[in-house]
Amino acid sequence: MTGTTPEFVINESNRFWIGVVSASHTSHAVEEGIAQTCGGKAGPLGRMQSGDWLIYYSPRTDKKSGEVVQAFTAIGRVADDIVYPFKVNDDFIPHRRNMRYLTCRSVKIADLLDQLTFTKGRRNWGYSFRFGQFEINREDFMTIANEMLKVS
């Protein structure tokens, strides 16, 4: 799916998701045109449907020891309805989805905390992100997407 850019079209049937992935894993996902969340579990990816939108949030540059990022780092559209296993090595066979990513810029969550319903007024705003993937409403998606897609 690399090199394929979807149009930024929102339909009534679309759902909107946040996936929590390190910035280095996000870069790899965008290059490969795939999505992988929650340690490669099939269930969370299976909740998405073709045409749904996914925004990656990256807490750090690398999974455990990286530098703090705390930004939305990629935005893409689910390409099809297939969740498939992908053998990384004999010990790790995560599930993936095909995606079409938009060219975007990273946006620090600190700039949006007071605008998003899942963070506004919450001292522990990061709690939702602990699940690895969660659904957000259309308004929150549009708030994040509009910032990520702004041309500097």
Side-chain angles (χ1 to χ4, degrees):
M1 294 293 146
T2 306
T4 311
T5 303
E7 292 183 44
F8 188 65
V9 176
I10 306 297
N11 299 318
E12 286 299 314
S13 62
N14 290 142
R15 292 169 71 187
F16 309 95
W17 305 89
I18 298 288
V20 183
V21 179
S22 71
S24 62
H25 283 122
T26 298
S27 294
H28 177 75
V30 171
E31 285 175 22
E32 296 292 318
I34 57 100
Q36 180 178 310
T37 62
C38 302
K41 293 178 184 171
L45 293 175
R47 289 193 273 285
M48 297 189 295
Q49 298 177 4
S50 180
D52 283 358
W53 288 91
L54 174 70
I55 294 176
Y56 272 133
Y57 171 78
S58 299
R60 298 184 164 277
T61 54
D62 293 300
K63 190 172 181 178
K64 294 186 182 192
S65 61
E67 296 175 29
V68 173
V69 175
Q70 293 186 333
F72 298 105
T73 51
I75 183 171
R77 194 164 196 186
V78 178
D80 55 38
D81 283 318
I82 302 166
V83 176
Y84 59 91
F86 181 84
K87 184 176 181 178
V88 174
N89 59 47
D90 288 337
D91 298 323
F92 186 48
I93 304 173
H95 287 81
R96 295 180 169 181
R97 298 238 23 185
N98 292 321
M99 297 288 296
R100 292 188 182 104
Y101 288 96
L102 297 172
T103 301
C104 67
R105 64 187 186 115
S106 292
V107 173
K108 294 283 187 186
I109 194 169
D111 299 336
L112 300 176
L113 287 174
D114 291 334
Q115 298 174 50
L116 303 172
T117 60
F118 63 94
T119 59
K120 188 176 185 175
R122 296 183 185 187
R123 200 175 109 224
N124 297 321
W125 58 264
Y127 183 75
S128 304
F129 295 92
R130 297 181 70 96
F131 298 104
Q133 181 180 316
F134 60 97
E135 190 170 2
I136 61 173
N137 66 38
R138 178 183 307 271
E139 293 76 25
D140 285 344
F141 171 81
M142 291 304 296
T143 297
I144 300 166
N146 285 335
E147 289 300 315
M148 293 180 81
L149 300 174
K150 273 186 183 174
V151 178
S152 301

